[in-house]
Amino acid sequence: MAQEDVFKKLVAHCKEYGFVFPSSEIYDGLGAVYDYGQHGVELKNNIKKYWWDSMVLLHENVVGIDSAIFMHPTIWKASGHVDAFNDPLIDNKDSKKRYRADVLIEEYLGKLEDKAQKEVDKARKRFGESFDEQMFRQTNGRVQEIMSQHDAVHTRFAKALNDADFEEIRQIIIDCEIVCPISGTKNWTDVRQFNLMFSTEMGSTSDGALKVYLRPETAQGIFVNYLNVQKTGRMKIPFGIAQIGKAFRNEIVARQFIFRMREFEQMEMQFFVRPGSELDWFKTWKATRLSWHKALGFGDENYRFHEHEKLAHYANAAVDIEYRFPFGFKEVEGIHSRTNFDLSQHQQFSGKKIQYFDPELNESYVPYVVETSIGVDRMFLQIVSAAYCEEELVSEGKKDTRVVLKFPAALAPVKLAVLPLVKKDGLPEKAREIINSLKFDFNCQYDEKDSIGKRYRRQDAIGTPFCVTVDHQTPEDNTVTIRYRDTMLQERVPIDQLHDIISEKVSLKSLFAKIV
Ligand code: GAP
């Protein structure tokens, strides 16, 4: 099935099973804003817990905060967001559709990469085991031709971005004959800059209302609390401050479901270090964060690093962790070495000294910062994309299919369903008893409607790792069957072993053990 079709199905599945709904749907929705349903919120909370605990429980020198969304507007002047938090936009004069000029070029480059990859895949099939991809890429004329075209555009694009040369960005779009997907024409406007921050007013107009911004990143709330946390927590460098919270960006093109939203959530950690040590810490956090992703077991080959072509105004090194979504490799997380830019700017704009006295060096300095920044919603989409499976089955000689979300058990919204085989003979009461003994530790669901097969399918569709069935043998010997979602195998176990079986599998500890 084409990857776009898989993605469409996944979006429909998220709605049908209570994961994600379009916001304000009964009023026809609001562009790029979404609500999380009853299962979505549980998955989201589990993702946040996985991140939070991996930061503040696993690192004794990382602590958390929760800062306000509204902040003093000068913060955004100091951070550079008022002047430089822009995207280059371009309009197609025929369709009147607006695009991010950089994204149009990145998509063009992505298509060339795919074209080369297709040649590689064809050759791999032809040559089988003996295939040497590196050698093939270096010697095959067709691949070389595609990649040299790719590299030429890529070099021009990187330079144009670095020089903020918008005429050249437009020229690349024209030269590459990039057309509007709606009108199919190359009738483009000039490229212009567009600031992504939302603003509103605080206070009544008679008081002289203050223009405030909805924060476009949570990081600034950490920077402006650096002194508070360092002093009250008696923190010694190196140390980190972690935060989870909402961020807002007036994205020009909001597409691909919850991948790019106007209201979203970030999980950010600023790690304050001695000047000169930041690139070593950058390397360390790069490795730690990649292993956090890989621990989920979705296949190491589906992750890669992408070094930034153009460094943000505050960074001296930056890399993205990308995941292979159904629509290609895309950023899930950014790791940035932000120098001492932000703290220095806040020191200058606020007039307050923001420094650390390092007792080992016997000197004061403005700390350098390594940041890890990941979107909760994007991570959610990554997990749902990776977990979504359509399987062909043969059951009792008949062909069947099932849709199953193969979430890591620790992140699954519902951990177990308890299902009485029939609605009589004391089986529902027994099932309730089991739920009552487990509900304080695990999110459980009770379901007695429809055939047992249909109930299993419903649980597969929301990714429940365990289904416990109470049958006529249960009242006799206090045993039940436990069915495992991925293998669909069942085994008979005593009720008093359920807690241990489930808790071992759903504990975050099993994931933490895999993080470097
Ligand atoms: N403080 C640094 C910062 O905000 P970023 O690369 O702009 O860096 C970090 O954002 C992460 O936040 C991204 O990797 C992505 O996961 C998430 N993110 C950014 N913009 C988003 C949007 N419009 N919708 C959903 N997630 C977004």
Side-chain angles (χ1 to χ4, degrees):
M1 197 188 315
Q3 288 299 293
E4 295 97 77
D5 295 336
V6 173
F7 192 62
K8 272 191 203 144
K9 285 191 173 187
L10 196 142
V11 174
H13 189 90
C14 279
K15 178 157 184 241
E16 188 180 348
Y17 286 93
F19 284 90
V20 182
F21 307 127
S23 158
S24 324
E25 199 183 3
I26 57 170
Y27 291 97
D28 297 332
L30 183 66
V33 186
Y34 289 89
D35 298 335
Y36 287 85
Q38 66 279 17
H39 296 127
V41 69
E42 296 290 344
L43 174 59
K44 207 173 174 216
N45 285 341
N46 294 340
I47 294 170
K48 289 195 263 185
K49 188 162 170 52
Y50 177 41
W51 183 87
W52 185 266
D53 288 358
S54 76
M55 286 292 171
V56 302
L57 293 189
L58 298 197
H59 300 97
E60 61 181 79
N61 59 351
V62 177
V63 292
I65 63 164
D66 182 17
S67 70
I69 288 172
F70 288 133
M71 290 193 269
H72 196 287
T74 309
I75 288 173
W76 303 110
K77 188 77 192 154
S79 67
H81 284 82
V82 171
D83 299 318
F85 195 54
N86 302 317
D87 274 343
L89 66 84
I90 191 166
D91 293 306
N92 181 270
K93 291 184 199 163
D94 298 321
S95 67
K96 312 272 181 264
K97 286 279 168 201
R98 179 161 289 178
Y99 299 89
R100 266 181 61 177
D102 54 336
V103 171
L104 286 179
I105 299 173
E106 275 165 13
E107 283 175 356
Y108 173 82
L109 291 170
K111 278 187 195 144
L112 289 179
E113 283 165 27
D114 290 348
K115 225 167 152 182
Q117 188 61 43
K118 272 199 188 126
E119 297 293 327
V120 172
D121 292 344
K122 265 199 289 181
R124 178 174 286 114
K125 260 198 198 146
R126 221 174 33 240
F127 295 114
E129 294 259 300
S130 61
F131 183 63
D132 178 344
E133 176 168 344
Q134 204 183 354
M135 177 67 85
F136 182 77
R137 280 181 176 274
Q138 279 166 5
T139 52
N140 180 270
R142 181 83 189 112
V143 172
Q144 294 252 295
E145 190 188 317
I146 297 167
M147 287 317 289
S148 69
Q149 190 186 347
H150 171 279
D151 296 347
V153 174
H154 188 262
T155 311
R156 257 180 93 186
F157 175 49
K159 181 164 180 345
L161 275 183
N162 261 320
D163 299 347
D165 183 347
F166 301 114
E167 265 179 40
E168 171 66 352
I169 291 178
R170 179 173 189 273
Q171 198 54 47
I172 296 173
I173 292 176
I174 305 284
D175 293 349
C176 294
E177 305 195 333
I178 297 173
V179 296
C180 163
I182 310 287
S183 66
T185 70
K186 293 175 260 179
N187 196 5
W188 297 109
T189 62
D190 287 341
V191 174
R192 281 159 298 140
Q193 288 286 61
F194 177 78
N195 192 286
L196 299 183
M197 280 200 294
F198 284 104
S199 63
T200 185
E201 294 192 338
M202 185 175 265
S204 68
T205 33
S206 56
D207 301 345
L210 185 67
K211 181 177 177 183
V212 290
Y213 297 98
L214 297 190
R215 65 182 178 198
E217 62 170 11
T218 60
Q220 297 303 322
I222 295 180
F223 288 124
V224 298
N225 277 295
Y226 161 80
L227 278 181
N228 286 335
V229 175
Q230 193 272 320
K231 294 220 157 84
T232 58
R234 290 178 292 111
M235 306 302 292
K236 291 201 172 37
I237 271 180
F239 74 91
I241 305 179
Q243 165 158 241
I244 300 179
K246 288 268 179 160
F248 304 83
R249 296 183 190 178
N250 196 4
E251 297 285 358
I252 303 168
V253 193
R255 268 184 300 152
Q256 285 154 337
F257 191 38
I258 55 172
F259 183 83
R260 198 175 299 288
M261 301 158 90
R262 296 201 165 99
E263 173 181 339
F264 58 101
E265 221 169 340
Q266 287 187 314
M267 307 188 279
E268 298 202 292
M269 195 275 305
Q270 313 299 128
F271 199 69
F272 299 92
V273 304
R274 199 179 267 177
S277 68
E278 72 276 10
L279 293 180
D280 289 335
W281 282 110
F282 176 72
K283 227 165 116 189
T284 304
W285 279 107
K286 239 175 102 173
T288 305
R289 294 304 304 147
L290 185 64
S291 70
W292 183 89
H293 286 275
K294 287 185 174 173
L296 294 173
F298 291 127
D300 292 3
E301 69 286 0
N302 292 318
Y303 299 88
R304 72 179 187 193
F305 284 124
H306 168 80
E307 307 286 336
H308 282 207
E309 308 303 341
K310 177 182 187 262
L311 292 177
H313 58 276
Y314 47 72
N316 70 358
V319 72
D320 295 335
I321 295 176
E322 294 188 338
Y323 175 75
R324 197 200 300 260
F325 283 95
F327 42 85
F329 269 106
K330 295 277 176 217
E331 171 188 349
V332 180
E333 170 156 7
I335 299 153
H336 311 121
S337 171
R338 285 179 82 130
T339 66
N340 62 358
F341 174 84
D342 302 84
L343 289 183
S344 299
Q345 287 290 101
H346 291 308
Q347 180 167 261
Q348 188 191 328
F349 277 72
S350 68
K352 309 269 172 359
K353 197 168 155 189
I354 306 181
Q355 299 209 343
Y356 176 76
F357 176 74
D358 192 324
E360 283 173 33
L361 298 180
N362 197 26
E363 69 179 58
S364 295
Y365 51 76
V366 179
Y368 271 52
V369 172
V370 174
E371 163 186 80
T372 72
S373 174
I374 172 170
V376 179
D377 313 85
R378 209 169 277 184
M379 188 61 201
F380 184 109
L381 183 59
Q382 191 259 283
I383 290 173
V384 176
S385 308
Y388 184 88
C389 288
E390 289 180 17
E391 288 181 349
E392 305 261 327
L393 310 169
V394 181
S395 124
E396 290 165 8
K398 275 198 248 149
K399 278 200 174 163
D400 195 5
T401 54
R402 71 164 181 162
V403 174
V404 53
L405 296 183
K406 293 188 174 174
F407 294 131
L411 300 188
V414 177
K415 303 299 188 214
L416 79 151
V418 184
L419 317 170
L421 193 59
V422 291
K423 280 191 250 178
K424 53 183 186 180
D425 305 332
L427 303 192
E429 290 75 10
K430 197 73 194 162
R432 293 271 182 214
E433 238 177 66
I434 295 173
I435 288 201
N436 285 337
S437 69
L438 297 175
K439 70 183 178 191
F440 298 107
D441 294 313
F442 314 114
N443 189 2
C444 309
Q445 263 189 15
Y446 174 83
D447 191 2
E448 60 176 26
K449 195 167 176 292
D450 299 322
S451 71
I452 196 76
K454 276 195 181 154
R455 283 181 269 169
Y456 285 154
R457 290 290 176 277
R458 277 202 289 271
Q459 294 301 328
D460 289 343
I462 61 166
T464 307
F466 308 104
C467 284
V468 169
T469 304
V470 175
D471 56 22
H472 289 98
Q473 194 180 322
T474 307
E476 286 166 22
D477 62 4
N478 267 326
T479 62
V480 285
T481 60
I482 182 162
R483 170 195 183 262
Y484 300 97
R485 177 197 65 202
D486 298 349
T487 58
M488 293 185 292
L489 293 177
Q490 301 185 24
E491 63 178 331
R492 197 142 202 114
V493 298
I495 291 173
D496 59 14
Q497 282 180 17
L498 280 178
H499 187 278
D500 287 353
I501 295 172
I502 295 164
S503 77
E504 204 241 327
K505 298 261 169 42
V506 304
S507 162
L508 282 173
K509 274 191 215 159
S510 57
L511 299 180
F512 293 148
K514 297 184 204 156
I515 300 177
V516 294

